[in-house]
Amino acid sequence: MSKLFYKKSTAIAVITALLILVLLVCMLLVTLMQMSSLNQRAERLEELIAEAREQETITQELAEYLKTDDYVRKWAEEHGRIKGDDITWLEKNGL
């Protein structure tokens, strides 16, 4: 071991190589930690996209229901436009 560092230039080269190796290992660890964080974010985004698609389906179904005669009749009853037993209005308006 004493002959390894006999020359000053050899010692500098070995220390430089060790420092570069440590730097590369640190960079690798940081990259792996960032990948883990990015993977978690990607999973969360996929969950949010799935929830948005489900919500879109529910919204479309609601929009279709709002176009039905049944909804119009229920709305009119709830807002006092007709009474539940007002059959003549229902027949006259095709409900």
Side-chain angles (χ1 to χ4, degrees):
M1 182 87 171
S2 61
K3 287 189 177 188
L4 178 65
F5 296 113
Y6 186 69
K7 291 184 179 179
K8 188 176 182 180
S9 61
T10 306
I12 292 173
V14 169
I15 291 172
T16 303
L18 288 173
L19 288 175
I20 290 173
L21 181 63
V22 168
L23 181 64
L24 289 174
V25 169
C26 288
M27 289 174 59
L28 177 64
L29 290 175
V30 168
T31 302
L32 290 174
M33 289 176 12
Q34 288 178 343
M35 282 180 57
S36 174
S37 175
L38 290 175
N39 287 339
Q40 290 174 350
R41 286 183 184 177
E43 289 174 5
R44 178 66 180 138
L45 286 174
E46 287 175 3
E47 290 173 4
L48 290 173
I49 289 170
E51 289 175 14
R53 286 185 179 146
E54 183 178 317
Q55 186 64 35
E56 180 183 12
T57 303
I58 292 170
T59 303
Q60 287 176 350
E61 290 172 358
L62 178 61
E64 290 300 317
Y65 172 69
L66 294 177
K67 295 176 185 176
T68 63
D69 293 338
D70 187 43
Y71 171 75
V72 173
R73 183 184 53 79
K74 286 181 181 178
W75 182 90
E77 286 177 6
E78 289 174 2
H79 290 85
R81 304 290 185 206
I82 61 170
K83 295 181 181 174
D85 58 349
D86 193 357
I87 296 175
T88 58
W89 186 90
L90 295 173
E91 289 174 356
K92 193 170 29 172
N93 290 294
L95 299 174

